[in-house]
Amino acid sequence: MTSLPTDNRRCLPSIDSVWSVIESYLSHHCCIESYSSDTTETINPLDALILTLLVDFLPDTINIVDTCLASTSGTSTVTLLNARRRRTITASVETMNSPLIEKVHNYAAEFGHCEHFLVHPTSAIGASLTERKYLIVVDCRNAPREFGIQTIQQWMNRVPNCSLVVMGADHAGSSGIVDGLTSHLPASHQIRIIRDMADALYNCSLCLISPRNDSDTQTALTRIQHLYTGNVRYIDLLWKMNEAAITASGADRVAMETHPSASPVMQELQTLRERLAQEKQANIKLRQRLERTEAALALVSPEHRLIQQIANGVHDSDDRLESELDSRENRRSRKLRRIVAPDGTWRHRTITRSRKAIGMWRTFGTMYVIRRVLRGPVSA
Amino acid sequence: MIAQDGLTIAIPNWNHELLLPRAIRSGFETLSILRQKGISGEVLVIDDASRDGSVRLLRQLEARYYQQGLRVRAFQTNAGLSANRNQALALSKYRYIAFVDADNEIVPENVPSFLKSLVQTGAAGAFGTVLLRSATSDTAHHAFSNEPFQDRMFECNHIDALAVFDRLQLIDEGGYMNQRWEDYELWMHLAASGREILFLPLILGYYYILPSSISTDPAENTHLDALSDRMKRVFDQVQARKHLPLNSRHKRYHPELGYF
């Protein structure tokens, strides 16, 4: 098979560039063909990158004590061997006969790291550490909380002024190792949790315990933090995206309605809603009734007008009839009077005076008539 | 060991910070569909010394999505698209590879058909129809790369770089040449070397026309005549190609139908 054009460009460190080395070690030296990168038998890929960056960002080369060779199947040691600013890697092991030591030795020999790789039993390691400054890597992922805290304290007592990188740190406030360490930590040291430095580092399980006056490790951590923070916070993007989704789905309305503190307000709202619905129904019925009435009225009015007209006509004709009858009666009575009491006779004068008196009585009443009679006739 | 039945979606990136998430998302959607069919995959982003914030974005995305199959390699010096694609060929874990430009996106639903076609036929590459969209549009206004390999390729390119390849055959042929229009040169090289190139009548991706795309850059387009002359000089000097057998000529294929 021919090969591609060579590309000797230097690569910036990434999880893939760090993990590919570990993969190569696992497949060639441990003969593990298939494995999961999220198993606790190896170092976590993101932890491997951050550990590499932490060492590479130190201003001077540093000696490292790796206590995780057995618990990470040698992958932590391989990671540290490939860091550029490491001086020696001293593996602290319980037993010197572990086959893993030979595998890591073979890997170191293949890549020319033999002189930088040392192995010492844990019990005797204190005496062999003569340098002032060390970085110690401890694995607490599968250890009970108290055991992990005890291990860390032992190392701090054994190698004062060292910095410790602890694998398996959990969130502050979760009653794990970090909370336990916080209460046991001497005032001269401080603890920094890597996952709290940036949103993207959430999956990192490392924390760093270092002396407060160790500015080198603090600077290295700051540089790592800058690598994973930018113009946009990832969590802000997620927040905005979720907010838009919630707004679109109306889920916040449901949340508001079901929240315990919203109960009295929601009841009142419900009552008002019901009343409003009832009012609306009543309005609708009234409107319908009005429409029916108007419709009926619209039908009745012309008939009513017609009846009125007819009635008026009847009244008019009644009036006319009455006046006609009256005039006929008057003519008959005048005719009869001319026969019975012709004009100029005393009968005519008597009838005329009687009619006048009757008229005055009707108009002015009985007493007026009596006074007139007693007074006698009034001259003109 | 090369996984024989998986697919790498390679995204070479150079200063496409704002468009990169779209390409990566389409890659993840493709992985999801492949996983449903029991096919492994990965999204491999090769950054060619970007300076616009792409590296920071990639670092953060890799920290969050490494376990889901996102791999990032960021180089410190710029070497061009050909070198980046060749790096993708070298770093890929799987037998098959799809190249997606950082400003474009792949159509996830159709990728299994392209992969199946390569497995069934042993061809070197399979391409499909690419739809053209403007930068902010979600509908296409044109389709191209929608014909099989024809003799007029020796006159003018009509196949896009977005395609699925058998990585080993590409490596055996020397990968991409370091020149302009390296994807055109690769198609010609594969055809002239007797490799099989398939056309599937399926949409493989969306090509977004951006204001500063190479395809709209007048400076790039002034070299077309010189490039065309060079292609003819290299691949069809005596203008006899159309009379010679060509394994890639008019190869239309569909995994359900076979050659048609």
Side-chain angles (χ1 to χ4, degrees), chain A residues 35 133 151 198 231 264 276 307 358:
Chain A
Y35 47 85
K133 199 168 172 185
T151 306
N231 288 322
L276 184 65
I307 290 169
I358 290 168

Side-chain angles (χ1 to χ4, degrees), chain A residues 47-90:
Chain A
D47 289 354
L49 171 64
I50 300 301
L51 189 57
T52 306
L53 289 175
L54 191 60
V55 174
D56 286 347
F57 284 164
L58 293 172
D60 299 317
T61 55
I62 191 167
N63 295 304
I64 303 172
V65 176
D66 181 17
T67 69
C68 316
L69 186 144
S71 65
T72 62
S73 307
T75 52
S76 62
T77 316
V78 168
T79 302
L80 292 165
L81 280 171
N82 283 285
R84 284 180 289 124
R85 299 196 74 77
R86 56 104 183 99
R87 200 183 296 170
T88 59
I89 311 291
T90 306

Side-chain angles (χ1 to χ4, degrees), chain B residues 39-147:
Chain B
I39 302 171
S40 309
E42 62 181 3
V43 176
L44 174 61
V45 181
I46 309 285
D47 186 84
D48 197 12
S50 296
R51 305 286 286 176
D52 69 335
S54 294
V55 177
R56 184 153 297 190
L57 171 68
L58 285 170
R59 210 177 273 128
Q60 293 182 48
L61 289 176
E62 193 195 29
R64 302 237 11 132
Y65 296 111
Y66 183 77
Q67 307 284 15
Q68 282 87 354
L70 177 64
R71 295 173 56 202
V72 171
R73 286 293 177 111
F75 289 98
Q76 284 187 321
T77 51
N78 181 272
L81 189 51
S82 308
N84 264 18
R85 289 200 175 132
N86 287 335
Q87 272 295 314
L89 289 173
L91 294 170
S92 168
K93 280 186 200 171
Y94 297 102
R95 171 79 185 262
Y96 300 97
I97 189 167
F99 286 105
V100 182
D101 288 345
D103 53 351
N104 297 335
E105 57 177 319
I106 196 167
V107 173
E109 292 81 8
N110 292 336
V111 171
S113 297
F114 287 83
L115 193 57
K116 205 170 169 185
S117 301
L118 290 182
V119 172
Q120 287 175 352
T121 60
F127 68 96
T129 303
V130 176
L131 297 182
L132 276 171
R133 285 176 169 176
S134 56
T136 55
S137 172
D138 56 359
T139 54
H141 60 269
H142 189 63
F144 74 105
S145 190
N146 55 351
E147 296 172 82

Side-chain angles (χ1 to χ4, degrees), chain A residues 82-194:
Chain A
N82 283 285
R84 284 180 289 124
R85 299 196 74 77
R86 56 104 183 99
R87 200 183 296 170
T88 59
I89 311 291
T90 306
S92 168
V93 293
E94 297 296 328
T95 59
M96 296 296 288
N97 298 328
S98 168
L100 275 172
I101 298 174
E102 187 185 347
K103 287 173 184 168
V104 177
H105 255 301
N106 291 339
Y107 171 84
E110 183 181 344
F111 291 96
H113 297 316
C114 274
E115 60 189 34
H116 303 291
F117 178 53
L118 308 169
V119 182
H120 282 281
T122 307
S123 54
I125 201 162
S128 65
L129 302 178
T130 56
E131 298 284 338
R132 191 174 69 85
K133 199 168 172 185
Y134 281 90
L135 183 71
I136 301 175
V137 184
V138 178
D139 187 1
C140 294
R141 289 176 301 173
N142 295 323
R145 179 173 174 261
E146 293 305 323
F147 181 77
I149 294 170
Q150 194 182 355
T151 306
I152 292 166
Q153 283 180 318
Q154 282 172 357
W155 278 108
M156 288 173 68
N157 293 335
R158 196 179 293 172
V159 191
N161 295 325
C162 69
S163 295
L164 281 112
V165 175
V166 179
M167 272 193 271
D170 40 25
H171 291 287
S174 62
S175 303
I177 283 180
V178 170
D179 285 345
L181 282 171
T182 308
S183 55
H184 291 92
L185 213 58
S188 57
H189 283 64
Q190 62 180 341
I191 185 167
R192 290 282 300 274
I193 306 169
I194 307 292

